[in-house]
Amino acid sequence: MPGWLKITLKIAGALVGLIIILFIALTVYVNYNKQKVLAMITSELNKNLNGTLTIGTIDPTLFKGFPGVSVELKDVVLKDNRWAEHHHTLLTAKDLEVSVNASALLKGEVVINKIDISNADIDLFTDSTGYSNTSIFKAKPKVEKDPKEKQTSSSTQIRRFSLNKVNFVVDDRHAYKLFKFAVNDIEGRLDYPNKAWNADIDLNAMANSFSFNTKKGSFMKNKLLKGHFDISYNYDSQVINVAPNDLNIGDDTFNVAAKFELKKPETPFTINLKVNDILWTSAANLLAANITKSLKMFDLTKPIDVTCDLKGSFGGGGDPSIYVTAKVKDNVLKTQGGTIENCSFRGIFSNNYIDGKGLGDENSVIKLYHFNGTYKDIPFTIDTAFINNLNTPVATGIFRSRFPVSKLNPVIGDESLRFTKGIAELKLAYKADIVNFNFTKPIITGNVDIKNADVNYIPRGLVFKNNSIALKFTEKDLYINNIRLQNGSSVVNMQGKVSNFLNSYYNAPEKILIVWQITSPEIRLGEFLSFLNNRGGSGESNGVSHKNSKTAKARVTNQLNTAFDKGQAELHIRVAKLYYKKFLATDVTADILLADNSMKVRNVNLKSAGGSLKMAGLVLQGPTNNFAISTTIDNVNTNTFFASFNNFGLKDFTSDNLRGFLSARADIKGGINNAGNLVPKSIRGTAMVNLKEGALVNFSPIKSVGKFAFPFRDLDNITFGDLKAQFDINGDKIKIAPMQINSSVLNMDVEGVYSLSRGTNIALDVPLRNPKNDSKIADDSERNKKRMKGIVLHILATDGDDGKIKIKWNKNHKKTKTDDDDQKTDDTQQTPEPKQD
C-alpha cells in the first residue's frame, strides 16, 4: 500500500472516531441535561406561537439521527390561546421524534432536520365566527429589543417528516367544511431551492370525511388513499402546486393534480382528477351524497372514463364548483324507466349551470351529448339532453329515431294497439319532471311520422291496413295530419287536432277532445260496427287492474286505453259513398261527437234512393246500443229505400209491395245489437209519411179481399194519389192513425194496429164502388163525398192461428148514414161473409 494512502486512511479513521466520540459526548450531554435541552427546545418553539407547546419528556436516541442529535418527545401538546373556549387541541402526540443539527445545537440554536409524529391527533378547528386554532402560528407583534441582547436564529426548515397512526381533522364550522383522515403512514422529504420548497410525499390514509359542505355530505367517504405526491411552494406567489400523480382511491386509480393559493385569505383551491375504466356506481359513490343520489338515477354496466374538477375555497362556505365528465361507448344504461342497449354518449355534471346562480342542487345540471342507443330494439339519438335543478329535476332534450313501427308493441303493450308493418320517424323536443327517478309528464314538441303501417286496434277488433299518420306536437296542442286509414275496402283520410293535449292526457285523459276533419271516397259502416261493442281484452274485463299496476309500461298503457276509450272525438265527415248493408248513400256530410259510451249525431245530410235524408240522433253504448234519432226523408224511391233497410223489420209489407216516392218525418228510439241489427220490439216513436205516385204491388192482405170482392179489378198493381199517414211505433206494435187511401182499384179508410209478432188489429172500410173515374172529378169536396158511396165493406185484419193475417168482418163497426139517402144500411147484411184465407 502506498505510504500516502496509509496516512490518508489513518487521518480519516481518526476523524470518524473523533466524530463518534463527539456524538457520544453530545448524547451523554443531552441525557444528563434533559431539562435544560427540553427548556431550550420548548422555549425556541414557543417563541413564535400564540399559545403553548408542552412536552412531557425528552430522550436522546443514539445514532438514530446521526450525524445530528435525535430526541424523542413524549406527550407533546400544542394549544392556542383560546383553547379554554373551544377545547380543540391543535396537536396531541404521544410520540414525536425530532432530529436536530448537532453543531447548531452546541451554538444554542435549533435546526430541525426531521420530525416523526406517531400516535397523534391533529385538530385544525375553526369556530362559527371564523376564528381558528391555527392562529397559534400567526406572527407576534414585533417588540423593540435591546441591541446588546444576543440575537439568535434557528432554521425553520424541516428536511424530512413522517406521520404514523395520526388522526388528522380540519373542522371548519364557519364554512361548513369537515375533513377527517386516519393516517396510516405519511413519508415526506423536503428541499429548499431559492424562495421555494419542494416536497415528495408518500401517502397511506383513510378518508373518513371530505366534506366541502357538511350539509350535503362527504366526498370519498371511507375510502383508502394510497399514492405519491410531488408538491411545490413559492414564497412570492404563495401558491402550492400538486403535480399530476397517480392516487389510489379505494379500488380505483386516479391521476390527481391540485393547486392552493395561500396568498388570498379565503385560500382558493383547484383539484383535478382523472380515471379510466371505472364503474359508474364507483364514481358516483366518490361524490357527496346529494350528487350520488342524482347520478344513481342511472347505472352503466361497463367501465367508463371520468374526469372531475373541483374549484372552491377553504375560507368560504358552500360547495366547491364541481365539473365531472364521462365518456361512454357501447355500454348498457339502466334507468328506472328501462334499459338502453348499445349506449354511447359524452356526459357532464356541473353544479354551476348558470353563472351567478350559486353552487348547489338548484343550479346543478347533467348534460348528455350525442346520446345514441336502443330501447326495446328501438334505435334513437338525442343530440343534447339536460337534467337540471336536482332538487326538482327537469329533463330536456331532442329525441330522434327511425325504426319499424312494430317495435312499438313491447313499449305500449298489446292491450290497445298492435302494429305489424310500417316505418316510424320521430323528432321530438321534450321537457319532463323527474319524480322518484322516473320521467314524469313530459312536455313534447315536434313531429312523429308513420308510413305504410298496418295496425290492429285490439279493444274494438279493427284492423287498419296501409296507414299513414303525421303527428305534430306543439307546446299546447296536438295536430294529427295526413292520416290515411284503410279497414277492409273503406279508406278514410283524416286531419285532427287535440287542444291542450298533454295537460289533458296526464291529468284527465277521459276529457280529451279530438276534432277530426274526415273525408273518404268510400266507407262501409259494417267494417266499423265493432266500435259499438263493449271494450274487451284489457283492464278489468280480463281481471287485470291498470290502477294497481306500478310498471311504467302499465301506466302508459292505462293512459292510452283511457284516452282511446274514454276520450271524446268530434267528427266532421264528408264521404262520397257510404254503404251500410244494402243501403247506399252519396254526398254524405255529418257532425258526430263520440264521448264515453255515447255517439251524438248532428247535421247528417245524404242522398239516397233518388232523394235525400237529414238526421240527428244519439247512440248510447251498452249490451244493447240504444239510439234516438230524428229523421227527415225527402222524395226517396220507396222500393229502393225499403230494400236498403231490410223493410225496417216488416214481414208482410216489403219493398216488393211498394212503389212511389216517399217523404217522411220520424222521431224514433230503439236498440241495435253488436251485429248492427235492430233489436226486436225495441222501436218506439212516431213517423209521418207522405207517399207520392205510389203503387201497391202484390200486397196479399188486399188481394185476399179482392179475390171475392173485386174479381175484375187489377189488384196486383194498385196506384195511389198522395198518401198521407201517421204511425205510432211501440215495440212490435205500429198504430196506424185514421187515414184515407185513394187508389185505382178501390178507396179505403184504414185505422188500427199492425204487429210484427201477434196483435194485429186493423179496421178497413172499403166501398165496393169502382173509383176508376174519380180522378176526373175536379172538385175535391165532391170527390170526397162520392168516394164512400154505395156498399161499404167493414173488414178487420187480425192474426190467424197459423201466424198469417186473416180477414174477417168488422162486426163492431158503427153503422153510418150515407149522404144520398136517409136509409140506414147494415153493411153486414148486404154482402155475404167473405171466405177467410
Side-chain angles (χ1 to χ4, degrees), residues 21 138 182 213 259 324 338 361 363 576 633 712 740 754 804:
I21 293 171
K138 289 184 178 179
N213 186 343
K259 179 180 179 181
V324 180
D361 290 347
N363 196 33
I633 301 171
F712 302 109
Q740 294 181 350
Y754 175 78
K804 295 182 179 181

Side-chain angles (χ1 to χ4, degrees), residues 132 166 254 338 397 443 614 708 731:
S132 174
V166 175
F254 287 77
I443 298 173
K614 296 182 179 180
F708 66 91

Side-chain angles (χ1 to χ4, degrees), residues 514-576:
I514 181 168
V515 180
W516 289 107
Q517 305 296 332
I518 301 174
T519 60
S520 174
E522 177 181 322
I523 291 180
R524 297 184 181 269
L525 284 181
E527 296 170 344
F528 295 89
L529 284 178
S530 55
F531 266 111
L532 297 176
N533 298 340
N534 289 327
R535 274 179 55 89
S538 64
E540 301 295 340
S541 61
N542 64 359
V544 179
S545 173
H546 294 293
K547 182 178 181 181
N548 295 327
S549 177
K550 295 182 179 180
T551 66
K553 185 176 78 174
R555 285 193 297 271
V556 171
T557 301
N558 191 30
Q559 285 177 308
L560 283 174
N561 288 339
T562 303
F564 279 131
D565 200 48
K566 302 291 186 180
Q568 301 181 60
E570 182 180 308
L571 286 64
H572 302 282
I573 301 173
R574 305 293 181 267
V575 179

Side-chain angles (χ1 to χ4, degrees), residues 638 642-643 646-659 662 689 691 695-702 720 723 727 734 739 741 754-756 805:
T638 54
F642 268 62
N646 288 326
N647 304 306
F648 298 95
L650 302 176
K651 297 179 180 179
D652 298 297
F653 186 76
T654 69
S655 61
D656 294 333
N657 303 125
L658 192 61
R659 298 288 186 272
L662 176 68
V689 177
L691 180 64
L696 196 61
V697 180
N698 295 322
F699 185 46
S700 58
I702 299 297
F720 297 90
L723 176 63
F727 304 98
I734 302 173
M739 69 173 179
I741 299 176
Y754 175 78
S755 176
L756 300 178
I805 294 178

Side-chain angles (χ1 to χ4, degrees), residues 4-40:
W4 62 268
L5 181 56
K6 291 181 180 181
I7 295 173
T8 301
L9 290 176
K10 288 179 181 181
I11 294 173
L15 289 174
V16 171
L18 179 62
I19 292 173
I20 293 173
I21 293 171
L22 288 174
F23 180 78
I24 294 173
L26 287 171
T27 302
V28 172
Y29 171 79
V30 172
N31 192 48
Y32 283 95
N33 295 275
K34 288 182 180 181
Q35 297 303 320
K36 180 179 179 181
V37 173
L38 181 58
M40 289 174 57

